[in-house]
Amino acid sequence: MKKYIKSIILTAIGFSLLTSCDSELDHFNENPNSPITTTPTLLLSAMEVSTFSTHTGGLIRTSNIFDQHLAGTSVGQLGDIQRYIVSEQDVNNEWNTLYGTTLISGHILSRDFAVHYPYYNGIGQILTAINLGYATDLWGDVPYDEAFRADEGNKTPKYNTQQEIYQRLQTILDEAIVNLSKSVSSNISVPANDDYIFNGNTKKWIQTAYVLKARFALRLTQVDNNAAKKALEYINASGVSSNDDDANTFFPGTSNGLNQWYAFDRSRANYLKVGAYFVNSLQNSNDPRLSFSIALNKPKPPIVPIYVGNIPEDLDTTSSSYIGSAFASATSPVGIVTYAEAKFIEAEAKLRLGQDAKSALQQAVGASVLKITGTAATSQFLASATATVDLGNIIKQKYLALFLTMEPYNDYRRTGFPVLIPNQASNKKVIPLRLPTPSDERQYNPNATVVSNVTTNVWWDKE
């Protein structure tokens, strides 16, 4: 227990979690000795830093390899991911970060500090929803209701179904909105610079909560006939109006606080490249984001550098391009929940409801171009990118915009867009639809829902 509290303190102060690969088996079932062993400040900071780690770490690398934004090479272990080989041991670290630091911190915030620190608790609930969403979207059924009851004697929590988790996500976000709407006087203290995302701005956190509600509502288009209607209502309620409302990662650029795409390339050069489909899509449309999203390759002189990615079957080319400076400098922020995503959700929801989606689509593409390049998109580019307003193009444009997030992979499974050709050199020649249950869970939790076949659909992916 003391070890757990120490890890929270180190995470909050030093950003050391971002470069750690250590596994903490079963710590998500431990509780600290008493509320006074930690503080809302430390818990919130730990949640945010570990969220930054997850959002720029293994889960995103894997999902972006699956959807061909990125490509693993034979230099390191990502070559197996490129061939759709994911073992139950491969995902233990990511699972344990989600449960062993992020979600347990949110649980303690809610359990011990909800009454007198509603703002801290509300932000913690939003971060809980983000990370619980990562977990269920990749693993399906996951523990939540019983996940943190070791002090009650329950060290083998039952799993909630994914359908139940999606109900919990909406409830968690509703409670967060209520907490963040309370008066300042209802708090003993309020978040400030210990909130690395919005510096305690509750309005922006409430906006983020509504966009997340819309994200999770729209995810259910295959299982909920009212998904689009709900998503549009939540976007309208959010009030997001520009990129200034974005929830981004924060990396100070210090030795233990580096942007993780930058740090990964420095420590594991040539393990990871960009995918040919993504690069070619940007090049073929003269997309202004190309030189910001993609780095020039590094051929041997006198060959002139170009922007080039690896096709899914090519694990051996290491002179191809890596991620560009907009995403992979030492301090580059990466969007977690953004205005651009909100407008793409609005566009899709309106299309499904038979409403005019063109304006929302143009705003979505424009927001992405401005965020990534720092310059507004030209009217000619916007007209070209949004000339076709159908589901395929909305999702394709969202795919180009939400690089290095999990949303394009979720959209691919949900809609079948963009149309991707799986790695034909892989054994199954089918893009994986999930991750296998971690070996730690299979071995130590008899109540785990164990799935080993990565081509098995999750609940919301019916097709």
Side-chain angles (χ1 to χ4, degrees):
M1 295 179 186
K2 291 181 180 178
K3 180 179 180 182
Y4 168 70
I5 296 302
K6 181 179 179 181
S7 74
I8 287 183
I9 294 172
L10 289 174
T11 299
I13 295 175
F15 272 69
S16 58
L17 177 65
L18 294 177
T19 54
S20 172
C21 292
D22 294 338
S23 172
E24 296 291 338
L25 176 62
D26 286 344
H27 283 318
F28 69 85
N29 277 322
E30 295 185 8
N31 291 320
N33 291 313
S34 70
I36 62 172
T37 57
T38 189
T39 67
T41 288
L42 289 174
L43 290 165
L44 175 60
S45 296
M47 288 191 79
E48 291 194 356
V49 173
S50 58
T51 298
F52 301 160
S53 175
T54 295
H55 190 66
T56 56
L59 297 182
I60 305 299
R61 285 195 297 269
T62 297
S63 61
N64 271 237
I65 289 172
F66 289 165
D67 70 23
Q68 299 180 22
H69 278 105
L70 300 174
T73 74
S74 56
V75 173
Q77 70 269 28
L78 296 182
D80 282 345
I81 307 298
Q82 185 70 21
R83 294 186 293 132
Y84 309 149
I85 301 172
V86 189
S87 77
E88 60 178 8
Q89 289 81 23
D90 291 335
V91 295
N92 281 324
N93 286 349
E94 285 74 19
W95 177 276
N96 290 326
T97 295
L98 284 172
Y99 279 94
T101 300
T102 317
L103 293 176
I104 194 173
S105 296
H107 169 74
I108 296 171
L109 264 176
S110 181
R111 185 195 67 189
D112 297 340
F113 300 103
V115 175
H116 299 300
Y117 300 88
Y119 287 3
Y120 279 99
N121 187 35
I123 297 172
Q125 288 169 316
I126 293 172
L127 294 167
T128 291
I130 290 170
N131 287 275
L132 187 59
Y134 290 149
T136 191
D137 286 337
L138 290 174
W139 282 288
D141 299 353
V142 293
Y144 182 68
D145 289 352
E146 295 187 1
F148 309 106
R149 295 184 179 178
D151 58 342
E152 302 172 16
N154 183 357
K155 295 184 179 182
T156 56
K158 292 181 180 178
Y159 276 40
N160 290 94
T161 66
Q162 186 171 64
Q163 183 174 6
E164 290 172 338
I165 292 294
Y166 261 79
Q167 294 167 351
R168 303 296 185 274
L169 290 171
Q170 293 292 351
T171 300
I172 291 167
L173 291 167
D174 286 339
E175 292 174 353
I177 291 167
V178 170
N179 280 322
L180 291 165
S181 299
K182 292 181 178 179
S183 66
V184 174
S185 62
S186 64
N187 296 263
I188 289 178
S189 65
V190 298
N193 59 5
D194 50 350
D195 170 14
Y196 303 126
I197 297 176
F198 289 131
N199 293 314
N201 187 322
T202 55
K203 177 184 175 182
K204 291 188 182 298
W205 276 113
I206 290 172
Q207 290 177 321
T208 298
Y210 275 113
V211 176
L212 284 168
K213 284 177 66 65
R215 173 194 288 182
F216 295 132
L218 197 64
R219 185 89 80 244
L220 306 187
T221 49
Q222 293 186 25
V223 294
D224 182 357
N225 292 331
N226 293 315
K229 180 176 180 292
K230 293 175 184 176
L232 187 57
E233 289 173 352
Y234 296 144
I235 290 298
N236 290 336
S238 74
V240 293
S241 59
S242 75
N243 293 338
D244 290 338
D245 297 326
D246 290 0
N248 299 314
T249 62
F250 169 68
F251 298 105
T254 54
S255 60
N256 58 0
L258 294 170
N259 170 290
Q260 287 300 277
W261 299 111
Y262 173 85
F264 189 86
D265 193 43
R266 291 183 68 191
S267 63
R268 300 177 186 180
N270 295 323
Y271 278 42
L272 187 67
K273 299 295 177 179
V274 291
Y277 180 85
F278 180 50
V279 178
N280 294 344
S281 295
L282 294 172
Q283 286 182 319
N284 293 341
S285 59
N286 295 314
D287 196 301
R289 293 167 289 191
L290 174 66
S291 62
F292 297 87
S293 299
I294 312 297
L296 287 166
N297 74 334
K298 298 178 180 179
K300 294 181 180 180
I303 301 175
V304 177
I306 59 174
Y307 300 105
V308 60
N310 286 4
I311 63 172
E313 294 80 13
D314 182 5
L315 277 70
D316 297 323
T317 300
T318 58
S319 60
S320 42
S321 297
Y322 187 64
I323 302 163
S325 60
F327 297 92
S329 74
T331 60
S332 295
V334 181
I336 304 172
V337 182
T338 64
Y339 171 64
E341 180 188 352
K343 300 308 288 188
F344 280 115
I345 292 171
E346 178 183 339
E348 182 184 342
K350 285 184 172 179
L351 180 77
R352 290 180 179 274
L353 294 170
Q355 301 177 22
D356 184 4
K358 191 178 185 70
S359 177
L361 179 58
Q362 288 186 333
Q363 291 175 67
V365 175
S368 171
V369 171
L370 180 60
K371 181 181 181 69
I372 293 171
T373 72
T375 303
T378 65
S379 57
Q380 293 86 350
F381 176 74
L382 284 180
S384 175
T386 62
T388 302
V389 184
D390 59 14
L391 184 61
N393 192 47
I394 289 172
I395 299 301
K396 175 68 176 291
Q397 294 302 324
K398 189 177 178 185
Y399 173 93
L400 298 177
L402 300 191
F403 181 37
L404 303 184
T405 74
M406 200 182 294
E407 287 311 290
Y409 176 57
N410 293 329
D411 287 339
Y412 171 75
R413 292 183 287 168
R414 179 175 63 87
T415 69
F417 295 115
V419 178
L420 303 172
I421 300 175
N423 183 349
Q424 297 302 296
S426 63
N427 289 336
K428 294 187 177 181
K429 299 179 179 60
V430 176
I431 294 174
L433 300 174
R434 65 183 304 131
L435 295 180
T437 304
S439 61
D440 289 350
E441 282 294 288
R442 180 183 60 78
Q443 293 173 352
Y444 301 111
N445 185 357
N447 289 317
T449 300
V450 178
V451 179
S452 58
N453 183 356
V454 296
T455 63
T456 302
N457 300 47
V458 296
W459 164 73
W460 52 253
D461 178 18
K462 295 296 186 182
E463 298 177 0

